[in-house]
């Protein structure tokens, strides 16, 4: 390992090493920060994931593990830990990687970055402690007039301030890289995707501050009243866009993993980048998608916000849904797997957990998370599934089978490239994305199924045994909830293996000293091989065309099936 | 590679693949269609959520519901009045920790103006097994014209988390079909 000291034209001295696999210059301060954020992310994934398993085991009617008060407490903790803390710590690591490392640049103000990190850790711990103390089981959405203890909100606010600092450092690093000329031409596509994520993050955090700071003051008794509808409108401007940070981040990682493992190059930079831009321009509006069953909001407001603009953002995702597998097919055909329609896919590195995780994330995000999101976000169809367990079914398709799986896949690259450790227990690592991915896809689908049959979300007892007026869901609903429990166990096994492999690798993985072949190899010279592929007229992507064709047919069929369900309901207007 | 700067400095001059162009076109048209279909459903569909809503103080709403229940009560069940309003009438349903109040008895094929509000926290009106789900807010009175299309006993489940007794928060709607033939005809006309 050669660490060279470079004195920057301005600012601090930065220490760099050269990555022996990618040739990139790595700022060691950035590297340490990436490690810290990634480790914190995995810690909160472990906590939040365990809570998720407890939730699923309680909702499995035959098991019904936790008592009611504990169930609501753990469900609140589950949401905060996985949806906020795991994902955003990891995203900060992605931002530092996509700026400092990919641009061969020093990270702007590492000291401030550490302050941000400490704020995030303190905030996350404060919220966790407050939730575990009880009296703050208000769920992730924390709708007033239901009230949590002040530290619940304060913890989230501190965490968000820390994350905001991370975003600012990312922007500053881009500026430094441009000024110091550490790269030529435009920023890479992956950095571009990270940039969209960071821009959306700033908007998200600003709206979060607008709503959570008054709510915190209200919990302290300094403000007398928070209007519940106003709260929801503003809260969802944060709540929904925060999920678009994830989408931008994990789509960036799809491109990154495609590039590093098979040498994939975007079919055309223009299309892929425009698709990212659509996220910035249109995704924010999609937050109305959570307000379709509210009183007092106009139908035209709902249609414009959730639909027209949102479909342009959906179009962004549909474009990535073509260009990501398309770029992989193009690269694989260049790599020599050119026989038939699907040899490129069959001979893809399925044994490499970074690839299998990435590709499963792509499929599940599109087919489960994407399609269900559009259906759920349709003005009238929403009445069928608002606040049923279909909603968590949908977002487990996006955030677990999509984002979390993609982040796990990326971790298999972070470990050798940033931690410089050889991955321990490669056989376990190989099966991990399959277990976790299939488990996550299963829970998403079965929750969607149960929601279609009416099962409420955030509900301790679907038998209503303590209720004054009895009611029973159909046997099908019970079956779905049982299957949900079984697949949650499968996903949890995948999650536990992930944590074990990461912790084992960080602590005991063989230190990578010289440029030996990795257990899970990167594509050798992939960039060069694929660099001339992709200009107009040369691309033949029959496999990808068939895949997106299947996707489109599923999308259209499922959309109309739900209109059919809707047309059979009681009449209302 | 996606991880390195694009080869061409001016990447926006790069040609677009034909397959990409076709897919973008299809995705755009599909988006337009879905947009149009939501508007169209307001004309061709029978299920559109009402936007009629009023601000109301929770105590005032509670009073309205009590008056309504007193006026039309026909019997009692588990200590809760069963209320049978006239077809076409204003019907008041109240959500509170942890109850839907009162129990309603409606007629199949008849339209009712159902008022929904909460007097404490947010709740979720979830009519089962007919899967109709509507958010219920304190301070907002939401009015929905509802026409039952099937008879029987239906459950109302709360599907917005509202505290430790959330899972005990149920209600009931009975739908009778005394005027079966007339109701079927009216439904057929409305469809
Ligand atoms: Cu309730």
């Amino acid at each position: 390992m050669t660490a060279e000291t470079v004195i920057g034209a301005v600012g601090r001295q930065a220490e760099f090493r050269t990555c022996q696999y990618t040739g990139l210059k790595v700022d060691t301060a950035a590297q340490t920060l990436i490690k810290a954020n990634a480790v914190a992310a995995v810690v909160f994934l472990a906590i939040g994931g365990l809570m998720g398993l407890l939730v699923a085991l309680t909702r499995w009617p035959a098991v019904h593990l936790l008592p009611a008060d504990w169930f609501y407490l753990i469900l609140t903790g589950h949401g905060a830990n996985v949806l906020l803390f795991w994902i955003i710590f990891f995203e900060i690591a992605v931002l530092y990687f996509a700026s400092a490392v990919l641009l061969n640049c020093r990270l702007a103000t590492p000291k401030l970055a550490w302050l941000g990190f400490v704020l995030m850790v303190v905030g996350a711990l404060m919220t966790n402690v407050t939730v575990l103390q009880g009296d703050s089981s208000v769920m992730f959405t924390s709708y007033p007039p239901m009230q949590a203890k002040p530290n619940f909100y304060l913890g989230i606010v501190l965490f968000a301030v820390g994350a905001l600092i991370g975003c600012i450092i990312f922007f500053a690093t881009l500026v430094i890289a441009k000024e110091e000329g550490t790269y030529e031409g435009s920023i890479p596509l992956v950095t571009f995707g990270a940039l969209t994520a960071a821009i959306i993050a700033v908007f998200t955090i600003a709206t979060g501050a607008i709503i959570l700071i008054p709510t915190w003051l209200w919990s302290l008794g300094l403000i007398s009243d928070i209007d519940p509808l106003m709260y929801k409108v503003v809260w969802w401007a944060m709540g929904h866009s925060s999920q678009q940070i994830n989408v931008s981040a994990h789509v960036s990682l799809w491109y990154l993993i495609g590039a590093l493992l098979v040498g994939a190059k975007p079919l055309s930079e223009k299309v892929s980048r425009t698709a990212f831009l659509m996220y910035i321009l249109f995704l924010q509006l999609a937050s109305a998608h959570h307000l379709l069953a509210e009183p007092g909001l106009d139908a035209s407001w709902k249609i414009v916000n959730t639909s027209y603009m949102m479909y342009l953002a959906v179009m962004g995702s549909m474009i990535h849904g073509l260009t990501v597998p398309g770029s992989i097919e193009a690269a694989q055909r260049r790599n020599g797997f050119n026989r038939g329609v699907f040899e490129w896919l069959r001979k893809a590195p399925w044994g490499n957990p970074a690839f299998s995780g990435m590709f499963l994330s792509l499929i599940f995000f599109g087919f489960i998370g994407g399609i269900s999101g559009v259906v759920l976000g349709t003005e009238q169809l929403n009445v069928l599934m608002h606040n049923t367990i279909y909603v968590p079914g949908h977002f487990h398709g996006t955030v677990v089978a999509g984002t979390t799986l993609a982040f796990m896949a990326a971790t298999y690259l972070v470990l050798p490239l940033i931690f410089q450790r050889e991955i321990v227990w490669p056989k376990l690592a190989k099966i991990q994305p399959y277990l976790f991915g299939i488990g996550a896809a299963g829970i998403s689908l079965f929750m969607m199924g149960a929601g279609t049959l009416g099962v409420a979300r955030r509900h301790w007892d679907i038998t209503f045994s303590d209720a004054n007026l009895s009611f029973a869901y159909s046997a099908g609903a019970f079956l779905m909830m049982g299957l949900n429990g079984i697949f949650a166990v499968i996903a949890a096994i995948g999650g536990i293996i992930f944590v074990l492999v990461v912790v084992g690798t960080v602590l005991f993985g063989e230190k990578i000293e010289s440029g030996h072949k990795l257990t899970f190899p990167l594509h050798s010279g992939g960039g060069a091989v694929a660099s001339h592929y992709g200009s107009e007229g040369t691309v033949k992507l029959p496999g990808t065309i068939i895949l997106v064709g299947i996707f489109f047919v599923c999308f259209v069929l499922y959309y109309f099936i739900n209109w059919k369900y809707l047309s059979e309901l009681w009449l209302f207007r | 590679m996606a991880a390195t700067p694009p080869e061409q400095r001016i990447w926006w001059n790069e040609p677009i693949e034909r397959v990409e162009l076709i897919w973008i076109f299809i995705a755009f048209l599909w988006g337009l269609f879905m947009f149009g279909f939501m508007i169209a459903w307001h004309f061709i569909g029978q299920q559109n959520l009402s936007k009629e809503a009023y601000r109301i103080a929770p105590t005032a709403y509670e009073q309205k519901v009590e008056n309504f229940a007193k006026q039309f009560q026909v019997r009692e069940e588990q200590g809760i009045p069963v209320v049978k309003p006239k077809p076409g009438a204003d019907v008041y349903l109240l959500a509170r920790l942890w109850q839907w109040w009162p129990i309603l008895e409606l007629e199949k094929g008849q339209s009712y103006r159902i008022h929904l509000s909460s007097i404490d926290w947010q709740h979720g009106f979830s009519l089962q097994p007919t899967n109709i789900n509507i958010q219920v807010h304190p301070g907002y009175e939401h009015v929905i014209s509802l026409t039952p299309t099937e008879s029987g006993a239906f459950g109302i489940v709360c599907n917005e988390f509202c505290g430790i007794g959330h899972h005990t928060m149920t209600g009931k709607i009975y739908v009778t079909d005394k005027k079966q033939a007339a109701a079927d005809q009216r439904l057929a006309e409305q469809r």
Side-chain angles (χ1 to χ4, degrees), chain A residues 54 84 103 136 172 190 252 293 308 353 366 408 464 487 503 520 551:
Chain A
L54 295 175
L84 276 181
L103 298 180
S136 293
V190 174
S252 303
Y308 186 57
M408 285 175 168
F464 300 95
F487 277 79
V503 172
F520 297 116
F551 169 79

Side-chain angles (χ1 to χ4, degrees), chain A residues 283-303:
Chain A
L283 272 182
Q284 315 299 0
L285 300 168
S287 55
H289 161 154
H290 299 267
L291 305 168
L292 294 171
E294 305 296 315
L297 296 172
D298 198 64
S300 52
W301 182 84
K302 290 175 181 173
I303 290 178

Side-chain angles (χ1 to χ4, degrees), chain A residues 66 537 568:
Chain A
L66 298 176
E568 287 162 0

Side-chain angles (χ1 to χ4, degrees), chain A residues 176-189:
Chain A
I176 292 174
K178 186 96 204 159
E179 270 179 5
E180 297 182 358
T182 60
Y183 64 98
E184 277 178 38
S186 306
I187 55 174
L189 179 63

Side-chain angles (χ1 to χ4, degrees), chain B residues 97-98 122-124 158 160-162 166 169:
Chain B
L97 303 170
W98 284 290
Q122 290 190 42
H123 299 282
C158 176
E160 181 59 78
F161 173 69
C162 54
H166 169 50
M169 183 165 167

Side-chain angles (χ1 to χ4, degrees), chain A residues 21 412 415-417 419-426 501-502 504-514 516-521:
Chain A
Y21 299 101
Y412 292 109
L415 291 173
L417 297 181
F419 284 84
Q420 293 166 274
R421 298 271 187 178
E422 193 61 90
I423 288 165
V424 293
W425 309 311
V501 169
V502 171
T505 300
V506 170
L507 295 180
F508 315 115
E510 188 195 332
K511 197 95 182 88
I512 296 174
E513 303 285 355
S514 60
H516 69 279
K517 191 98 173 138
L518 296 170
T519 315
F520 297 116

Side-chain angles (χ1 to χ4, degrees), chain A residues 221-517:
Chain A
L222 300 174
I223 290 179
S224 64
D225 187 42
I226 298 271
D227 181 80
L229 189 58
M230 188 275 299
Y231 173 94
K232 280 181 121 166
V233 172
V234 184
W235 194 93
W236 278 110
M238 167 188 76
H240 198 89
S241 359
S242 67
Q243 305 317 309
Q244 318 306 347
I245 312 172
N246 309 341
V247 175
S248 293
H250 79 227
V251 172
S252 303
L253 292 176
W254 290 347
Y255 281 110
L256 177 75
I257 292 170
L260 291 179
L261 291 191
V262 297
K265 169 187 183 292
L267 298 177
S268 51
E269 296 273 352
K270 181 157 60 180
V271 170
S272 297
R273 283 171 201 246
T274 309
F276 274 119
L277 273 183
M278 284 175 152
Y279 286 158
I280 299 185
L281 294 176
F282 302 110
L283 272 182
Q284 315 299 0
L285 300 168
S287 55
H289 161 154
H290 299 267
L291 305 168
L292 294 171
E294 305 296 315
L297 296 172
D298 198 64
S300 52
W301 182 84
K302 290 175 181 173
I303 290 178
V304 166
N305 279 279
T306 61
S307 65
Y308 186 57
M309 307 308 176
M310 182 175 148
Y311 295 144
L312 287 180
V314 168
M315 193 169 118
S317 285
M318 285 173 81
I319 292 172
H320 291 306
L322 171 90
T323 60
V324 173
S327 65
I328 288 171
E329 177 170 4
Q332 283 287 81
R333 287 185 184 278
R334 270 280 154 163
N335 292 341
F337 304 111
N338 205 13
R339 257 176 296 139
V341 178
F342 281 120
E343 195 197 17
W344 64 276
L345 194 58
R346 279 201 317 275
K347 298 279 175 69
W350 291 103
N352 186 326
F355 183 86
S356 58
M358 174 256 149
F359 211 89
L360 291 177
S361 159
L362 171 73
I363 300 279
F364 295 148
F365 178 78
F367 277 86
I368 302 175
I371 293 176
S372 65
V374 172
V375 170
L376 183 62
T378 302
E379 196 220 350
Q380 294 93 344
L381 295 182
N382 183 266
V383 163
L384 279 170
M385 49 276 245
H386 172 76
N387 266 350
T388 66
I389 202 163
Y390 188 98
V391 178
H394 152 67
F395 70 71
H396 281 72
T398 59
V399 177
V400 185
T403 304
T404 296
L405 189 55
F407 286 4
M408 285 175 168
T411 305
Y412 292 109
L413 295 178
V414 171
L415 291 173
L417 297 181
I418 299 292
F419 284 84
Q420 293 166 274
R421 298 271 187 178
E422 193 61 90
I423 288 165
V424 293
W425 309 311
K427 277 188 185 144
L428 273 180
K430 248 180 218 186
I431 57 165
Q432 189 274 328
Y434 294 98
L435 278 176
F436 186 80
I438 289 165
I443 58 176
S444 308
L445 285 172
F446 293 120
M447 279 197 270
M448 282 162 57
T452 303
L453 295 171
V455 175
R457 70 188 295 197
R458 296 168 169 173
H459 201 282
W460 177 66
D461 177 21
I462 63 172
T463 65
F464 300 95
S465 51
D466 297 337
N468 194 13
L469 298 168
S470 62
F471 171 74
Y473 287 114
S474 64
F478 281 80
L479 175 68
M480 292 285 176
M481 293 312 292
L483 288 168
N484 173 54
I486 292 169
F487 277 79
V489 170
I490 297 173
I493 294 169
I496 291 166
I497 294 175
F498 175 75
V499 173
L500 285 180
V501 169
V502 171
V503 172
T505 300
V506 170
L507 295 180
F508 315 115
E510 188 195 332
K511 197 95 182 88
I512 296 174
E513 303 285 355
S514 60
H516 69 279
K517 191 98 173 138

